[in-house]
Amino acid sequence: MPELPEVETTRRGIEPHLAGRRIAAVAVRQPKLRWPVPADLAEQLVGQRIGAVLRRAKYLLIPFPAGTLLMHLGMSGSLRIIQGDEPPGYHDHVDLVLDDGRALRLHDPRRFGAVLWVNGDVTVHPLLAGLGPEPLSDAFDGDYLYARSRRRRAPVKSFLMDGRVVVGVGNIYANEALFAAGIRPDRAAGRISLARYRRLADEVKRVLAHSIEQGGTTLRDFVGGDGKPGYFKQELLVYGRGGESCKLCRELLIETRLGQRSTVFCRRCQR
DNA sequence: ATAATCACCTGCTCGC
DNA sequence: TGCGAGCAGGTGATTA
């Protein structure tokens, strides 16, 4: 479910309900996520007051004086605010119970998500230390992409989805941004001009920012922290449309596989 | 260093 | 209706 816009939508949805609250209890019904949920999580969190909910890449971070709660939604995770007496359903693995009788509940069928406690400076944690710039920051632009891509033979789509290059560009938005920029996803990253990378960086920013405005892309049952679905899906131009006709030129869209990921493009509009 | 593949896990759709 | 195959929004670990 979650790409960057969905994670950001979640962050915006839950933060107002968490800020200022103290954590009254922690319930872990299934500790086997991507990594084990720490057995001493409650000891770190109970009694602590939440100030803010931050995001770095697709990680959600809740900082405390002694360390940071780090969460990731993986492929199928979602977070929502519930009334504390709502009984947990199947795949409702973790609750952070708040002092106002509500709770933050993690639901994650595939369990690729994570809930970790990081002591001290979270930015030097191995999961975060090597990450590339945020796509919506000024550090990410066409000149940066061009410089990082020289002599790289991997497909530009794989390059764009590499978190060490830039974070937060998942499969949906990589497909969409490459279509918008008119670049074939299987072109070698090192063989694309500066001008075209400038266009690509602009389209990545535009597509992500617009999707965040729409509340993310709802596939299956994603809902933001406020329970509202995302509205971006209806605007997807290529993702999930393999075999259908291009909305710009009517050519049949090609669906292939790059780096094990479903890839859709138009061979007329993208070169 | 870079590129490709594997792995984690459940649920759903498809073809037979 | 049942069953195996393949696929799904991510990304760290492992292998060439």
Side-chain angles (χ1 to χ4, degrees), chain A residues 204-254:
Chain A
V204 167
K205 288 174 191 279
R206 187 186 61 75
V207 169
L208 289 176
H210 182 64
S211 180
I212 291 170
E213 285 173 22
Q214 300 297 305
T217 303
T218 292
L219 303 175
R220 301 201 165 79
D221 59 352
F222 171 78
V223 291
D226 57 0
K228 293 190 183 128
Y231 290 98
F232 190 71
K233 182 171 194 244
Q234 57 211 40
E235 301 185 28
L236 296 176
L237 297 180
V238 288
Y239 181 82
R241 300 193 63 247
E244 298 177 36
S245 70
C246 174
K247 295 197 174 185
L248 293 187
C249 77
R250 295 288 145 204
E251 183 90 356
L252 250 40
L253 295 174
I254 310 292

Side-chain angles (χ1 to χ4, degrees), chain A residues 141-163:
Chain A
D141 61 16
D143 296 63
Y144 168 81
L145 279 179
Y146 180 79
R148 285 292 305 263
S149 62
R150 292 311 86 188
R151 280 177 295 288
R152 290 189 65 158
R153 286 181 294 192
V156 60
K157 178 164 176 265
S158 306
F159 172 72
L160 193 58
M161 292 178 68
D162 183 343

Side-chain angles (χ1 to χ4, degrees), chain A residues 31-135:
Chain A
K32 292 181 179 176
L33 302 185
R34 170 118 201 220
W35 298 281
V37 177
D40 65 349
L41 189 65
E43 292 164 41
Q44 305 291 349
L45 294 177
V46 169
Q48 300 289 315
R49 192 180 296 281
I50 297 171
V53 181
L54 312 177
R55 180 186 60 74
R56 170 71 174 114
K58 293 171 189 165
Y59 294 94
L60 288 169
L61 309 172
I62 302 182
F64 298 96
T68 299
L69 180 66
L70 179 155
M71 293 182 286
H72 197 287
L73 300 178
M75 289 273 263
S76 59
S78 59
L79 286 167
R80 67 190 183 100
I81 302 291
I82 58 155
Q83 294 302 320
D85 57 359
E86 183 178 322
Y90 200 36
H91 300 314
D92 286 342
H93 305 313
V94 178
D95 289 350
L96 294 191
V97 183
L98 307 173
D99 61 359
D100 64 357
R102 295 189 294 179
L104 178 70
R105 175 164 286 174
L106 173 70
H107 176 85
D108 186 5
R110 290 176 74 178
R111 289 193 271 129
F112 289 172
V115 177
L116 297 173
W117 173 260
V118 179
N119 274 308
D121 181 3
V122 73
T123 65
V124 301
H125 189 276
L127 289 173
L128 302 187
L131 294 177
E134 289 287 325

